[in-house]
Amino acid sequence: MRVAIDEHHGSLRLRLLDPDDFSAFAVVLADDVDLARAEREVPQVRFAGSSHAWVDPDWLRAAGGYDTGSRAENLARMLRYADTKGWLHPTSGEVAAHVVRQPVRAPGTST
């Protein structure tokens, strides 16, 4: 699961990518997005320097549709695991993630 922050029509866009992949968790920040701007414009992600961030678990639940059933249990399992590793903020409940910078592709190019 990846939380992506990128430029989209003059604003920053926050998206949840690979919502059913619970094997890794990261905030992917496009290279052209200034960290200070992301901190101001994306309240669901709180940056702790340039390499780590805290992500709002309520936003994760809403963005990934983790309301009921197996999807909800998978997220709960991930958060329990994060807690055993010290990756849940003790007061806010936010979950820790590595920040990964991603190069911006030129329009019309593919991966």
Side-chain angles (χ1 to χ4, degrees):
M1 169 186 323
R2 296 173 295 143
V3 175
I5 302 171
D6 59 7
E7 182 82 29
H8 184 71
H9 299 292
S11 298
L12 292 186
R13 172 175 62 172
L14 180 63
R15 299 177 291 145
L16 185 63
L17 306 176
D18 306 319
D20 293 314
D21 180 359
F22 293 91
S23 64
F25 185 60
V27 171
V28 179
L29 189 61
D31 274 343
D32 65 344
V33 174
D34 178 68
L35 186 61
R37 180 180 176 206
E39 289 176 328
R40 285 190 312 272
E41 294 184 26
V42 183
Q44 301 88 343
V45 178
R46 190 169 51 87
F47 292 90
S50 61
S51 61
H52 291 87
W54 296 99
V55 179
D56 180 344
D58 292 333
W59 178 83
L60 282 176
R61 279 185 196 89
Y66 304 116
D67 302 310
T68 60
S70 63
R71 297 194 90 213
E73 180 51 37
N74 287 338
L75 180 63
R77 187 177 303 117
M78 182 187 99
L79 294 175
R80 284 192 304 269
Y81 178 76
D83 193 29
T84 68
K85 298 296 185 180
W87 299 336
L88 283 186
H89 194 279
T91 55
S92 68
E94 296 163 313
V95 61
H98 292 284
V99 175
V100 177
R101 285 292 193 159
Q102 183 168 31
V104 177
R105 292 180 295 155
T109 62
S110 61
T111 53

